[in-house]
Amino acid sequence: LQQGFLAQSRDFRKSRDPVQLLAETVRIAPSRSGYVIDVSAEREDPREAAQIVNAVVDAYLAENRRRRLGVSEDGIQELRVKADEMRGKMDAAETELHQFMVSNRMVSFEDAQNIVVERLKGLNQNLMEAEPKRVQAEATFRAADSALKAGKPIESIPGVLESPIIGELKLDLARLEQKYSEMQSRLGENHPQLQSVSVQIEALRTKVAMESTHILGALHERYEQALREEEMLRAQLQEQENNVLRFNELASKYNLLKQSRDSLQATYATIIRRIDEHYVSRLSG
């Protein structure tokens, strides 16, 4: 009011108490509808009365907008300065987060996290499958080795006995031994045919022994291979667990950087929204 029409009015300029004069000039009363108020002014000049009414109404609306927004023009300027400051901090936080991702070779933090976790799960699963294989291979080899040391026939050792090749050789050997027994009773010890069968029997026994030794060696190699595989998986699992621990440290730093960036973005958005609301209210008022 002090900067508008009333500042130019002669009566108000000369008055010792322009506020009191305004209060005596203006009349405000609620309308019959209850939704608006009636504002009137008593002046000799109708045009001057209308100007006073308009000045009062404009001042009321401006004050109402200021109270509703909770910010003055000076406050809006402060918000602009704050917005520029927050924008700089937000850009710096975004840059720091990006540099963190680049330095740790991450295209997506979530994807990197999934890769680390899935590899750990895969190694755990592989180890769970490899361990019983090693246990079974070791048990078979230990049983065969103990039987051999106990003086049992090599072809009767567990793992050897189940071999289909050994089974066929022993069947052939049983047939030849049966043939030898029948020929011995008819032909005598020194008969050439009997000697020939005896040579075949010895050859089969040698073959059975060689095949049994080969199978025993294969059992040992199978056990050693299963053991190496298990030890390798354990080493890989340990390494991956260390990778997970290191990644968890990176995750903590990533979350701090992201939270800082997000917080700055939220604050910046709030400031911009208040500035926008102020100007929208001014336009609508």
Side-chain angles (χ1 to χ4, degrees), residues 29 96 175 177 218 235 283:
E96 186 176 5
R175 291 195 189 100
E177 288 176 341
L283 292 173

PDB file of all heavy atoms in Angstrom, residues 29 96 175 177 218 235 283:
ATOM      1  N   ALA A  29     -17.006  -6.091   5.198  1.00  0.00           N
ATOM      2  CA  ALA A  29     -18.091  -6.857   5.802  1.00  0.00           C
ATOM      3  C   ALA A  29     -18.275  -8.152   5.032  1.00  0.00           C
ATOM      4  O   ALA A  29     -18.070  -8.207   3.810  1.00  0.00           O
ATOM      5  CB  ALA A  29     -19.381  -6.040   5.778  1.00  0.00           C
ATOM      6  N   GLU A  96      31.417 -38.014  -8.376  1.00  0.00           N
ATOM      7  CA  GLU A  96      32.152 -38.905  -7.469  1.00  0.00           C
ATOM      8  C   GLU A  96      31.619 -40.328  -7.565  1.00  0.00           C
ATOM      9  O   GLU A  96      32.395 -41.291  -7.576  1.00  0.00           O
ATOM     10  CB  GLU A  96      32.036 -38.402  -6.034  1.00  0.00           C
ATOM     11  CG  GLU A  96      32.897 -39.181  -5.046  1.00  0.00           C
ATOM     12  CD  GLU A  96      32.841 -38.608  -3.638  1.00  0.00           C
ATOM     13  OE1 GLU A  96      32.072 -37.660  -3.401  1.00  0.00           O
ATOM     14  OE2 GLU A  96      33.574 -39.125  -2.770  1.00  0.00           O
ATOM     15  N   ARG A 175      36.759-121.833 -17.533  1.00  0.00           N
ATOM     16  CA  ARG A 175      36.511-122.831 -18.580  1.00  0.00           C
ATOM     17  C   ARG A 175      37.791-123.637 -18.879  1.00  0.00           C
ATOM     18  O   ARG A 175      37.768-124.862 -19.046  1.00  0.00           O
ATOM     19  CB  ARG A 175      36.026-122.136 -19.842  1.00  0.00           C
ATOM     20  CG  ARG A 175      34.640-121.524 -19.741  1.00  0.00           C
ATOM     21  CD  ARG A 175      34.122-121.194 -21.133  1.00  0.00           C
ATOM     22  NE  ARG A 175      32.893-120.430 -21.111  1.00  0.00           N
ATOM     23  CZ  ARG A 175      32.811-119.126 -21.282  1.00  0.00           C
ATOM     24  NH1 ARG A 175      33.913-118.417 -21.523  1.00  0.00           N
ATOM     25  NH2 ARG A 175      31.653-118.518 -21.232  1.00  0.00           N
ATOM     26  N   GLU A 177      40.395-124.056 -16.933  1.00  0.00           N
ATOM     27  CA  GLU A 177      40.750-124.908 -15.787  1.00  0.00           C
ATOM     28  C   GLU A 177      39.877-126.160 -15.752  1.00  0.00           C
ATOM     29  O   GLU A 177      40.365-127.263 -15.416  1.00  0.00           O
ATOM     30  CB  GLU A 177      40.617-124.115 -14.494  1.00  0.00           C
ATOM     31  CG  GLU A 177      41.700-123.052 -14.306  1.00  0.00           C
ATOM     32  CD  GLU A 177      41.498-122.205 -13.066  1.00  0.00           C
ATOM     33  OE1 GLU A 177      40.351-122.173 -12.541  1.00  0.00           O
ATOM     34  OE2 GLU A 177      42.463-121.531 -12.624  1.00  0.00           O
ATOM     35  N   ALA A 218      43.895 -97.226 -11.745  1.00  0.00           N
ATOM     36  CA  ALA A 218      42.841 -96.305 -12.180  1.00  0.00           C
ATOM     37  C   ALA A 218      42.003 -95.832 -10.998  1.00  0.00           C
ATOM     38  O   ALA A 218      41.591 -94.662 -10.941  1.00  0.00           O
ATOM     39  CB  ALA A 218      41.952 -96.982 -13.218  1.00  0.00           C
ATOM     40  N   ALA A 235      39.722 -73.884  -2.882  1.00  0.00           N
ATOM     41  CA  ALA A 235      40.564 -72.699  -3.047  1.00  0.00           C
ATOM     42  C   ALA A 235      39.796 -71.593  -3.778  1.00  0.00           C
ATOM     43  O   ALA A 235      39.861 -70.414  -3.403  1.00  0.00           O
ATOM     44  CB  ALA A 235      41.836 -73.057  -3.806  1.00  0.00           C
ATOM     45  N   LEU A 283       1.158 -16.023 -10.652  1.00  0.00           N
ATOM     46  CA  LEU A 283       0.436 -15.951 -11.921  1.00  0.00           C
ATOM     47  C   LEU A 283      -1.052 -16.163 -11.734  1.00  0.00           C
ATOM     48  O   LEU A 283      -1.885 -15.492 -12.362  1.00  0.00           O
ATOM     49  CB  LEU A 283       0.999 -16.981 -12.904  1.00  0.00           C
ATOM     50  CG  LEU A 283       2.441 -16.711 -13.421  1.00  0.00           C
ATOM     51  CD1 LEU A 283       2.920 -17.893 -14.231  1.00  0.00           C
ATOM     52  CD2 LEU A 283       2.466 -15.428 -14.258  1.00  0.00           C
TER      53      LEU A 283
END
